[in-house]
Amino acid sequence: MNTQTSAGQTPSRPVRELPPVITLSEKAADRLRTLYKGANAGQLLRISVSTKGCSGHAYDMNFVDEAGTPGDERVTSQGVTVLIDQKAVLFLIGSQMDYQTGDFESGFVFSNPNEKGRCGCGMSFHV
């Protein structure tokens, strides 16, 4: 069976769109806008995944100059830009970052469809 087109080229298969590396909830975007206007003006949040904790991986976040590290993925969600360490992309694909406030603590939390489990304290995860 010949699968070539009349021009002698193999027809291309439809390309499936990949999910975004990460999306921000409205609360996370609002919190980052506040931080970007205040003490972290001129900087961007950089998200990475490090090897540590009971379950093997943990989310790391720090503010860096807007240029970031060569190879970082620039992601804009809800009009807010964050940087993703190129080594963390595969761990984060399809994740959502939210900002939650509670009686005793507030902070960014991740909903990651790639996680298979978390340690008892919730600070680290495995895929």
Side-chain angles (χ1 to χ4, degrees):
M1 178 173 170
N2 189 351
T3 59
Q4 292 188 342
T5 63
S6 60
Q9 298 175 348
T10 304
S12 62
R13 293 182 6 196
V15 177
R16 184 173 62 104
E17 189 173 318
L18 294 174
V21 174
I22 195 167
T23 57
L24 304 177
S25 71
E26 191 59 43
K27 287 182 181 180
D30 287 344
R31 180 64 181 145
L32 283 173
R33 282 186 199 98
T34 301
L35 293 171
Y36 286 172
K37 289 178 185 173
N40 300 102
Q43 296 182 314
L44 292 175
L45 181 69
R46 182 173 189 265
I47 303 168
S48 58
V49 173
S50 61
T51 303
K52 64 181 176 185
C54 308
S55 289
H57 301 291
Y59 300 106
D60 285 327
M61 295 180 287
N62 55 8
F63 287 96
V64 297
D65 294 331
E66 284 199 32
T69 303
D72 281 353
E73 181 102 14
R74 262 181 117 78
V75 176
T76 301
S77 174
Q78 305 276 358
V80 177
T81 301
V82 295
L83 300 174
I84 309 293
D85 177 1
Q86 66 182 350
K87 295 175 189 166
V89 169
L90 290 176
F91 292 104
L92 295 173
I93 290 175
S95 296
Q96 182 182 48
M97 186 171 86
D98 192 16
Y99 186 76
Q100 295 180 350
T101 56
D103 292 336
F104 299 107
E105 67 181 1
S106 300
F108 292 105
V109 294
F110 293 86
S111 175
N112 186 339
N114 304 304
E115 285 185 17
K116 301 299 180 218
R118 286 187 165 251
C119 68
C121 69
M123 298 302 291
S124 64
F125 66 97
H126 67 274
V127 291

